[in-house]
Amino acid sequence: MEEVCMRETKAILLALLIASMVLASGCTGGWTATGSPSPTTSSQPSTSEPETTTTPEPSTWEMKIVWSADTTGIPFMDMNPDGSLSAAIDWNRGLLYLVKPDGSNTTLDLRRNEGEIQPVVSSVAVVGDQAWVLASYEGFAGIRIFSWNGLAGEERHGGPGAVADYMLRSPSGNHVCYLVTVSPTEQELHCDGAKITLTPDYYDLKSVSDSGLVVLSEKDNAFVFKDGGRILTFNTSRILAYRDKLLVSENGKLRIFSEDGKLLAEGSYPFDQTILLKWTLIPTGRYLLWHEPFGDTHLLTWNLTEIGTLPGFPYFANENFAVTSKDGVIHCYSLKDLHEVFSVKVPGDSLGYIKLSDDGKVMLVSGETGGFWLYTAG
C-alpha cells in the first residue's frame, strides 16, 4: 500500500512539473479553436521585411488611330472576335477594305472583272481570315468571299433581278446566315451551307446565336429556326437570340425564354431597333445591357436584377467589355469590375457602328453615313 501511494505521488509531481514547464514556455496558446497550431513568437529580432498585400490597379490603356478611310454610303463593316482582321465597305464605289491591327491594309474591287456592273452591297461578315460580302451582283445575288490576296470564292443564288437581303454571323463566327430574294414570291435562307425556302411573304433576318438559333421576322411576327426547322413562333418581331436563349420584347415587357419555349424571366425592359438596326438591348454572358429611352444604359443580370448604369447608348458588347457613347465620347468598360478601360472622342461628325476585339485592344468605328477608323491599344 505504501508503494502504491509513492507511485501516485510521483505521478502527481511529474504532472505538475510538466504543467509548470508548459506555462513557463507560453505553449498554452499553440493551438487554435480549429485544432491548428498558431504561429509562435521568437525573442530574436526579425531580419526580413514585413509582408505587404497590394491590390493591383485596374488595367487601362490608350487607343490610337492606325487606319482610316473617307467614304460615303451605308457603313457596312465587321471584325473577327480576335481583332486580327477588320473589313469595311466603300458602298458608293464598290470597294472592300481589309485591315490588320497594325494598320496594314489592302483595297479590293468587289467586281470580278472591270466589265461587271458595280454590286449593291447589303452586308459584310468577317469569318476567320476571310471577308464574306453579300450583294446583288450582276446576274445573281449571293456571297463573294475575299482573302487578303483577293477573291477566294463565291456562292450564287437566283438569276438577273435576284436581291441580296441581309447577312449575320453569330458572335463567335461559328454560324453565318443570309437571306436572298430569288424571285418576287420566294426567298432563301442560307445557314452554314443549308438552304430553307421561304414563301410567299418578305422576311427579315434578325439574329443568329452561337448555338445555331436563327430568328426571322415577318411583319409583326417572328419565327425561330434551328437545324433547318422552325421551332417557335412569336407575335412580335423584336426578338434576339443569345446562345440557347431568346430575348423577346412584347407588350412593354422583356421576356426571356429557353429554346423549348419555357419562360425564364420577365421584367419591364422593352427593346427595339434603331434606324441603323442597332438593338437597344445587348446580351452578354454576364449582363444584359438595356438602354432606357432618352437615358443611359442599365446593367441587368439574367434574372433581370438591375445592378447599375453606364453612360449613354450601348454600341457594342462582348463577353469581356461594353462600349457606350455619350456627349461625343466613346467609353469602354470592363464587364468584370465595371471600371473604364479607355475613352476616345467620336472621330467623325456622327457615330454609326462599333466593333471591339475580345481583348479590348482593337476597335473599328464608323460614322452614320460612311467613314471608318481603326484603333489599337498604344
Side-chain angles (χ1 to χ4, degrees):
M1 182 68 178
E2 195 173 310
E3 185 179 348
V4 172
C5 290
M6 286 291 293
R7 286 201 301 269
E8 290 178 352
T9 302
K10 288 181 179 180
I12 293 170
L13 290 174
L14 180 60
L16 290 173
L17 178 62
I18 292 172
S20 64
M21 290 173 65
V22 169
L23 289 170
S25 64
C27 290
T28 53
W31 293 86
T32 66
T34 58
S36 301
S38 62
T40 58
T41 57
S42 171
S43 60
Q44 298 297 320
S46 174
T47 57
S48 60
E49 293 294 326
E51 293 185 4
T52 58
T53 301
T54 58
T55 302
E57 291 295 321
S59 297
T60 61
W61 48 83
E62 294 184 4
M63 300 292 279
K64 297 180 180 179
I65 296 175
V66 296
W67 172 85
S68 64
D70 185 11
T71 68
T72 58
I74 304 173
F76 292 120
M77 59 175 234
D78 195 22
M79 174 195 292
N80 59 10
D82 66 8
S84 61
L85 185 67
S86 296
I89 298 292
D90 188 329
W91 198 82
N92 284 333
R93 293 194 292 165
L95 300 176
L96 168 67
Y97 300 106
L98 296 180
V99 192
K100 295 181 179 180
D102 62 1
S104 59
N105 61 90
T106 185
T107 304
L108 302 172
D109 194 324
L110 296 178
R111 297 170 293 181
R112 192 166 187 173
N113 58 64
E114 292 300 322
E116 285 189 326
I117 297 173
Q118 182 174 301
V120 179
V121 177
S122 63
S123 309
V124 63
V126 177
V127 183
D129 60 355
Q130 296 177 329
W132 295 20
V133 181
L134 178 67
S136 303
Y137 296 96
E138 185 177 13
F140 72 98
I143 297 282
R144 278 189 171 160
I145 301 172
F146 294 87
S147 66
W148 190 263
N149 296 320
L151 185 67
E154 64 181 19
E155 297 178 8
R156 296 179 173 227
H157 308 287
V163 177
D165 297 317
Y166 199 52
M167 174 172 57
L168 285 174
R169 67 166 175 82
S170 66
S172 70
N174 65 332
H175 293 285
V176 180
C177 298
Y178 62 90
L179 271 174
V180 292
T181 298
V182 295
S183 76
T185 60
E186 187 175 76
Q187 277 181 292
E188 293 177 355
L189 172 66
H190 293 266
C191 287
D192 306 322
K195 181 180 77 172
I196 300 174
T197 300
L198 305 167
T199 57
D201 295 313
Y202 183 80
Y203 293 84
D204 287 318
L205 179 60
K206 290 292 188 179
S207 187
V208 179
S209 80
D210 283 330
S211 71
L213 293 176
V214 182
V215 180
L216 300 180
S217 70
E218 185 270 319
K219 296 179 182 177
D220 293 327
N221 298 299
F223 310 95
V224 182
F225 291 80
K226 187 172 184 179
D227 299 327
R230 184 188 298 185
I231 60 173
L232 290 171
T233 300
F234 291 92
N235 296 322
T236 175
S237 61
R238 300 184 298 276
I239 297 184
L240 274 166
Y242 179 80
R243 296 181 182 172
D244 60 351
K245 294 181 176 60
L246 296 158
L247 298 99
V248 179
S249 181
E250 188 176 24
N251 299 324
K253 298 286 186 179
L254 164 61
R255 296 186 173 106
I256 301 175
F257 291 88
S258 62
E259 64 178 40
D260 60 0
K262 180 181 178 182
L263 180 63
L264 303 176
E266 181 179 87
S268 299
Y269 302 100
F271 63 92
D272 208 336
Q273 285 183 298
T274 67
I275 294 174
L276 286 179
L277 302 182
K278 295 190 295 284
W279 288 102
T280 59
L281 178 76
I282 302 178
T284 72
R286 192 182 299 261
Y287 300 116
L288 307 177
L289 282 72
W290 177 75
H291 182 251
E292 180 183 11
F294 309 105
D296 291 320
T297 296
H298 296 250
L299 292 176
L300 312 172
T301 64
W302 276 86
N303 63 5
L304 302 185
T305 300
E306 188 170 339
I307 65 165
T309 60
L310 298 175
F313 184 87
Y315 277 80
F316 183 81
N318 56 32
E319 299 308 303
N320 304 311
F321 301 96
V323 183
T324 67
S325 181
K326 186 173 184 176
D327 298 330
V329 178
I330 298 169
H331 302 271
C332 178
Y333 297 91
S334 166
L335 287 180
K336 294 181 179 179
D337 57 15
L338 303 183
H339 79 275
E340 186 172 272
V341 174
F342 66 79
S343 65
V344 298
K345 291 184 179 179
V346 173
D349 297 330
S350 63
L351 184 56
Y353 301 102
I354 293 176
K355 291 284 186 178
L356 187 74
S357 61
D358 285 344
D359 65 1
K361 299 296 181 69
V362 186
M363 180 173 69
L364 181 63
V365 178
S366 83
E368 287 185 345
T369 57
F372 300 97
W373 297 265
L374 185 72
Y375 294 76
T376 59

